[in-house]
Amino acid sequence: MQTLNDINLFQQSAFINGEWVEAQSKARVIVTNPATGEEIGSVPDMGSAEALKAVDGSHDALQSWKAMTAQARADILTSWYKLTLDNAEEIAFIMTMEQGKPLAEALGEVKYAASFIQWFAEEGKRIYGDVIPSTNKDQRFIITKEPLGVVAAITPWNFPLAMITRKAAPALAAGCTIVIKPANETPFCALAIAKLAEQAGVPAGVINVITGNSEAIGSVFTTHEKVKKLTFTGSTPIGRILMQQCSSTVKKLALELGGNAPLIIFEDADLDKAIQGALFAKFRNAGQTCVCANRIYVHKKIYSEFAAKFTEAVKSLKVGNGLDNQVQVGPLINEKAIIKAEKLIEDACSKGASLVCGGKRHELGNGFFEPTVLIDVDKSMDIVSEEIFGPVAPLIRFESDKEVIEQANDTIYGLAAYIYTENISRIFEVAEQLEYGMVGMNSTAISNEVVPFGGVKQSGFGREGSKYGLEEFVTTKYLCLEL
Ligand code: NAP
């Protein structure tokens, strides 16, 4: 059987200033496989001293990286992209081992992650400025775009590769350098992609991956004068803390935070399409995505039929170790995630909801939880206002468009929303009233490299992917010339 030790990309040291290094203290963070509970390796437990070193190295590397032509940077990024695809299966294996998602999904994430590198390699050549018609015949106004400088990134465990390339690729394409702190649950994907960046010829210091104590590393990232931007993907509570910390240096910020996506199925929806969409939006990555359907609103006329068919489909999902090719739902990331799902189900049932399938830990043990459907859910229940981050689908009945739009918007979050209806006027009327950064209309597969991903309200700000994602890494400079 394949093991991580057979894989060249399996790195257990951090990558700072072009070197693979250990923590000064020699301490290590143990990483376990959520499907088996077994230790799979460890990474250096670093803190502020190493973070300072990484920021300094990244700052030293900045001048020559930003002085390169966009084409020269694109050539390096293109090799990085190709190497990522060439090694896709190895990275997917690492991902399934540390994160738990099924291998097919892991492979999908590697390709998705690679697509950002390819797209930004190209788009980096199209960072245009402007010449503005002058208001004075003796003056000329020229607008240029410059790289921001050193960028710090903090990323989550749920998409351990794509959340990195979605930030690092535009940063590097724009001429910035980057220091990345991946989640402690999933550092190996981050180190693997750094290894490939090294092989692709990314110069020392341009990309760094530092592992260990998030608070200590995060304080350096948020308060260091040389760091010009913090880009964070993670939970809203941690986003709030980082935003406060960044105020000391008035740092540019991008926050990709939590979500509470409503999925609204109107009475005129294509039911089979809606069921497939809901299954994908709810059970992909075992329900652990920021754009997962958190609340499924179904019109009362089709509620019973939808609930019955959807539950049948959910019951057929195969749960297990993601290394098994048949598996569709892997384990949750840790015990805390399981306890959260249990508590939300208990709260909902105590207030009148009923379980129609699942509802408890899976007999496989470890991180496994049964795919669950709850009916008769209403807004008095915590499950409607909190991010579930697990394979639990709450079904809520609604009667009118006005009522469901109000309920959908009644949340602090505003990342993704989905609607299913065959009525084109309704599609636009509803989509325009939803207070969300992204709306899927008859589709829940909405993310790719060419579109802007991001939220409003307490789901954060900033966009990733697309030309908007590149703009996040440049600053606009105005040059005024007197003739
Ligand atoms: P998290 O607990 O906020 O952690 C995210 C990252 O922040 C990890 O690297 C974590 O490191 C680090 N961190 C934790 N406390 C910190 C602190 N005080 N200072 C600096 N860094 C700190 O979130 P998560 O549980 O990993 O990820 C799930 C969350 O991410 C969900 O809310 C999900 O919706 C959100 N998410 C959003 C998007 C989006 O695009 N909007 C995409 C994916 C996920 P440690 O591992 O050491 O704790």
Side-chain angles (χ1 to χ4, degrees):
M1 207 179 85
Q2 189 179 25
T3 70
L4 282 173
N5 292 322
D6 303 329
I7 292 180
N8 288 330
L9 294 176
F10 181 57
Q11 297 292 317
Q12 299 191 67
S13 310
F15 187 57
I16 297 178
N17 214 2
E19 288 177 10
W20 294 92
V21 288
E22 294 308 309
Q24 284 180 8
S25 66
K26 305 281 179 238
R28 299 191 71 81
V29 181
I30 305 289
V31 182
T32 54
N33 179 340
T36 62
E38 286 164 8
E39 176 177 334
I40 54 172
S42 64
V43 289
D45 190 1
M46 295 178 156
S48 48
E50 294 90 342
L52 283 168
K53 214 168 155 189
V55 170
D56 280 339
S58 205
H59 190 256
D60 291 345
L62 180 67
Q63 293 312 321
S64 50
W65 181 249
K66 75 176 187 188
M68 284 170 75
T69 62
Q71 180 63 55
R73 287 196 296 265
D75 290 342
I76 294 175
L77 287 173
T78 302
S79 332
W80 190 24
Y81 159 71
K82 287 184 180 152
L83 283 168
T84 304
L85 287 188
D86 290 347
N87 291 278
E89 288 189 3
E90 292 203 352
I91 308 176
F93 181 75
I94 294 175
M95 194 183 296
T96 298
M97 293 292 279
E98 66 179 351
Q99 201 274 345
K101 67 178 67 179
L103 258 183
E105 270 188 43
L107 199 56
E109 182 178 340
V110 179
K111 291 178 183 162
Y112 172 64
S115 74
F116 289 100
I117 307 178
Q118 183 191 38
W119 200 83
F120 284 111
E122 284 300 321
E123 197 63 9
K125 293 184 270 181
R126 292 185 274 272
I127 303 177
Y128 302 132
D130 279 313
V131 176
I132 296 181
S134 182
T135 52
N136 178 333
K137 71 180 174 50
D138 295 329
Q139 286 183 321
R140 299 293 177 270
F141 305 148
I142 300 148
I143 313 301
T144 61
K145 300 284 173 79
E146 291 186 352
L148 284 178
V150 175
V151 172
I154 301 180
T155 55
W157 49 264
N158 65 340
F159 287 94
L161 196 71
M163 296 305 99
I164 289 177
T165 58
R166 217 159 73 162
K167 299 175 187 306
L172 266 52
C176 300
T177 56
I178 194 164
V179 185
I180 302 157
K181 207 302 284 175
N184 275 330
E185 283 93 344
T186 55
F188 296 126
C189 280
L191 295 166
I193 199 78
K195 183 80 189 161
L196 293 177
E198 182 187 30
Q199 285 174 16
V202 174
V206 170
I207 187 164
N208 305 269
V209 175
I210 173 167
T211 53
N213 185 317
S214 348
E215 275 183 48
I217 296 168
S219 322
V220 172
F221 285 2
T222 49
T223 57
H224 203 302
E225 277 291 351
K226 285 181 185 163
V227 175
K228 297 297 182 234
K229 172 175 177 138
L230 175 76
T231 168
F232 172 73
T233 299
S235 63
T236 296
I238 302 296
R240 291 190 193 109
I241 295 172
L242 296 173
M243 189 172 181
Q244 217 160 25
Q245 290 178 1
C246 279
S247 69
S248 66
T249 45
V250 194
K251 215 174 287 309
K252 193 172 164 75
L253 258 174
L255 297 176
E256 299 285 348
L257 308 178
N260 179 4
L263 190 157
I264 306 170
I265 303 165
F266 291 94
E267 69 277 20
D268 55 8
D270 175 331
L271 210 58
D272 292 332
K273 202 169 169 182
I275 289 167
Q276 285 315 310
L279 275 178
F280 178 76
K282 181 69 256 182
F283 295 99
R284 182 169 65 116
N285 204 5
Q288 305 170 110
T289 86
C290 52
V291 290
C292 262
N294 210 60
R295 300 168 281 159
I296 303 179
Y297 293 97
V298 188
H299 192 273
K300 66 173 187 179
K301 279 192 193 155
I302 53 163
Y303 189 88
S304 304
E305 187 186 356
F306 176 87
K309 286 187 173 168
F310 181 66
T311 304
E312 274 319 295
V314 173
K315 280 182 180 162
S316 71
L317 292 172
K318 184 163 170 20
V319 178
N321 189 322
L323 293 180
D324 172 349
N325 279 335
Q326 307 296 313
V327 161
Q328 294 157 296
V329 180
L332 296 189
I333 192 71
N334 53 30
E335 179 65 17
K336 212 170 106 194
I338 296 192
I339 292 172
K340 181 168 191 192
E342 285 177 332
K343 275 199 173 142
L344 290 173
I345 292 169
E346 194 186 314
D347 172 77
C349 291
S350 75
K351 292 173 180 163
S354 304
L355 278 168
V356 283
C357 80
K360 57 182 192 314
R361 288 165 195 260
H362 197 278
E363 60 190 16
L364 286 171
N366 292 312
F368 296 104
F369 200 85
E370 292 177 346
T372 299
V373 181
L374 276 168
I375 55 167
D376 299 333
V377 173
D378 67 45
K379 64 180 178 189
S380 70
M381 303 167 189
D382 293 345
I383 202 160
V384 171
S385 53
E386 289 187 28
E387 193 176 23
I388 306 168
F389 245 57
V392 183
L395 306 189
I396 307 158
R397 204 179 267 100
F398 76 90
E399 289 193 30
S400 73
D401 292 23
K402 184 170 177 290
E403 172 207 358
V404 79
I405 293 166
E406 271 171 19
Q407 287 200 45
N409 287 338
D410 186 14
T411 167
I412 62 164
Y413 298 104
L415 191 57
Y418 311 98
I419 53 181
Y420 278 82
T421 165
E422 293 296 298
N423 177 335
I424 189 76
S425 305
R426 188 180 237 172
I427 283 183
F428 281 99
E429 276 162 20
V430 177
E432 286 169 7
Q433 291 179 71
L434 289 171
E435 296 162 357
Y436 287 82
M438 300 174 284
V439 181
M441 302 176 294
N442 293 330
S443 175
T444 53
I446 58 173
S447 179
N448 59 62
E449 73 280 15
V450 306
V451 297
F453 190 102
V456 296
K457 293 161 80 176
Q458 294 192 38
S459 289
F461 46 80
R463 292 293 178 268
E464 293 188 336
S466 81
K467 64 175 182 177
Y468 304 102
L470 193 58
E471 279 170 14
E472 301 272 335
F473 294 93
V474 294
T475 183
T476 302
K477 187 183 264 184
Y478 158 48
L479 307 173
C480 176
L481 172 72
E482 181 106 12
L483 300 176

